Amino acid sequence: MKMPLGLVILFFALAPAFAHSCAAFENLSDREHEEKLRETDAIFEGEVAAVTDLGDRSYLLEIKVSRVWKGDKTREITVVYGNPCGTPAPATGEKRIVYAFGRKNEKYLTVDCCPSFDDARMKLFYGAGEPVAENAAQAPNEDAPAAGFWSRLWKQIVSFF
């Protein structure tokens, strides 16, 4: 009797959304949304300049930044687009607002496929954002466009270990 009762309790104790699922962000209150915004390391708008497939549904995106709400005001930034949802990576030339997170001991900021934030509520919280000038200083990025695909891939593999 204890076993079936335990299974029933476990079944009803399960939450409908897993910790990192997109559904966890859908109906956030304004306060919860603001807390999530504070957890981001960078919020910017830009155009995807290049997409490199890293395998295992991950991509390296080089983005030309046009407006910044949070983070460094650099003209170009490279992020890792982790894609647990299996949706296609953003295409070259696509414009979007990016919410990025830093990870300890990682070179690039990380983005995922979930539409975690409401852009209109973000703009109410942070304002209009600051445009990035054409001649804005670029953050040093030792292996951005100069290094080839294989060099960047090797550095990604080595950094994993």
Side-chain angles (χ1 to χ4, degrees):
M1 183 64 182
K2 290 181 183 178
M3 182 67 110
L5 180 60
L7 290 173
V8 169
I9 290 171
L10 281 175
F11 177 76
F12 286 107
L14 292 175
F18 295 101
H20 192 67
S21 72
C22 298
F25 294 101
E26 267 181 19
N27 299 313
L28 294 177
S29 70
D30 287 342
R31 184 184 56 77
E32 292 169 320
H33 192 267
E34 289 173 7
E35 287 174 14
K36 294 290 182 188
L37 285 173
R38 285 187 184 99
E39 292 172 9
T40 62
D41 294 306
I43 303 173
F44 56 91
E45 181 176 45
E47 180 178 330
V48 178
V51 179
T52 305
D53 189 347
L54 299 175
D56 196 29
R57 297 187 298 183
S58 292
Y59 303 89
L60 201 60
L61 304 179
E62 294 176 28
I63 301 173
K64 292 182 181 179
V65 179
S66 58
R67 183 168 296 276
V68 175
W69 285 270
K70 185 176 182 182
D72 295 335
K73 293 168 185 67
T74 60
R75 183 72 184 123
E76 294 183 13
I77 189 166
T78 303
V79 297
V80 174
Y81 177 78
N83 192 352
C85 305
T87 58
T92 301
E94 183 177 328
K95 293 182 181 181
R96 61 171 44 198
I97 293 179
V98 177
Y99 300 87
F101 300 87
R103 290 191 179 166
K104 191 174 185 176
N105 300 324
E106 290 291 327
K107 180 175 185 162
Y108 300 112
L109 292 171
T110 304
V111 189
D112 68 25
C113 61
C114 295
S116 307
F117 297 97
D118 179 339
D119 296 340
R121 284 199 287 178
M122 181 275 297
K123 289 176 183 177
L124 285 174
F125 186 70
Y126 282 114
E130 295 183 38
V132 177
E134 288 296 322
N135 58 359
Q138 292 187 10
N141 189 353
E142 63 197 52
D143 65 345
F149 167 76
W150 295 110
S151 176
R152 289 192 306 251
L153 181 61
W154 179 251
K155 286 185 181 188
Q156 287 291 323
I157 291 169
V158 171
S159 72
F160 181 76
F161 298 103

